[in-house]
Amino acid sequence: MIDLYSDTQTRPSAEMRAAMAAAEVGDEQLGEDPTAKRLCARVAGMFGKEAAVFLPSGTMCNLISVAVVCQPGSMIITSALSHLLGSECGGLAAVAGAFPRIVPCQRGIYTGEDVRRVAGTRKKRNTPVPAMIWVEQTVNRGGGVPWTLAQLADVTSAAAEYGLHRHMDGARVLNAAAALSASPQAIAAGFDSVWLDLTKGLGCPVGAVLAGSADFIERAWIWKQRLGGAWRQSGMLAAAGLYALDHNAARMAEDHVNAALLASEIRAIPGCKLMHEPVATNLVFFDVQGTGLSADDVARGLRDKNVRIGVEGATSLRAVTHIELTREAVLEASAALRAVVSGR
Ligand SMILES: *Cc1c(COP(=O)(O)O)cnc(C)c1O
């Protein structure tokens, strides 16, 4: 099957499995797993931060960051498209008592002016207290668009004026790095916390790594423990992450070339319309209203042709390129989509 459903639909390669099997391990909770420690040091260094902690998922990186920073009633400045609001079961409110302030913006990218407009509101006794700004890199539901370094500097400097914590949801930060030809360190420079998902473009089976100051990570560790995310011999999982950083990080631009190819194929199919232009990274959102079919119809038709895709809305779909998809697979999927849409 050609699986365009998500970049999470990858399986560890034989080489990655070998690295996992060979990993040196110890009790991570006691600070004795050498491989987990190596992964954390590697990611902290990559982002130019003091420390990092290995966590089960990106969702937990986000939740713990909120829990460390926010009090009940704290306000988080974010866009309506953020994964925090759409796909994390309201953890910000359920666990930390925080709530979002949604900034209207295009493709999930807001500005320093937007931050000032919210945080600079004249203080009255009833004014909510902003605690952090939320930046998703790349913006998933914005079509995988990366914030540029200038856009990042603009919001982080505005947030600093008001003493706000600056958090980056870096689920696809390495996709952004490839698309912008910028280092993860440059991308993360203005941020107090930033994390990297191992299970997206890097192709690992489990895990994410959250980085920040030594003090922030110390407090994050309390939450890791509290939420049941403290591990024992996690070095076997960390070894996959180290393997991926060595072998899979540099190839991410290939996924972007494949996504651009898919986008150009979709653009040429009558009735299909790309929802975000340009397609900058590995996510391709498109609408099929013009075909007279529903998104479910299209997904079902593709499934019959051994292609899996994500349904977003009544007539919208998402296709994602990743390490297991070749150029040939993308062309095959495009041909299948053309056939489904034309009723063949
Ligand atoms: C996938 C994703 C997450 C959550 O990561 P998990 O590892 O699946 O918990 C958070 N934010 C964004 C933008 C994502 O795409």
Side-chain angles (χ1 to χ4, degrees), residues 6-8 56-62 82-84 87-88 134 136-141 169-172 195 197-200 207-208 283 318:
S6 173
D7 43 7
T8 55
S57 67
T59 300
M60 200 186 281
C61 292
N62 279 339
S82 65
H83 194 278
L84 171 75
S87 307
E88 300 182 13
W134 197 272
E136 195 171 295
Q137 180 74 310
T138 65
V139 188
N140 181 346
R141 301 243 131 44
D169 171 337
R172 296 189 178 82
W195 61 269
D197 212 322
L198 301 177
T199 69
K200 301 270 164 83
L283 309 179
R318 186 185 78 164

Side-chain angles (χ1 to χ4, degrees), residues 274-297:
L274 293 175
M275 291 167 66
H276 305 285
E277 298 263 21
V279 170
T281 58
N282 67 328
L283 309 179
V284 183
F285 289 73
F286 63 102
D287 193 282
V288 293
Q289 195 166 12
T291 66
L293 297 172
S294 71
D296 281 330
D297 292 336

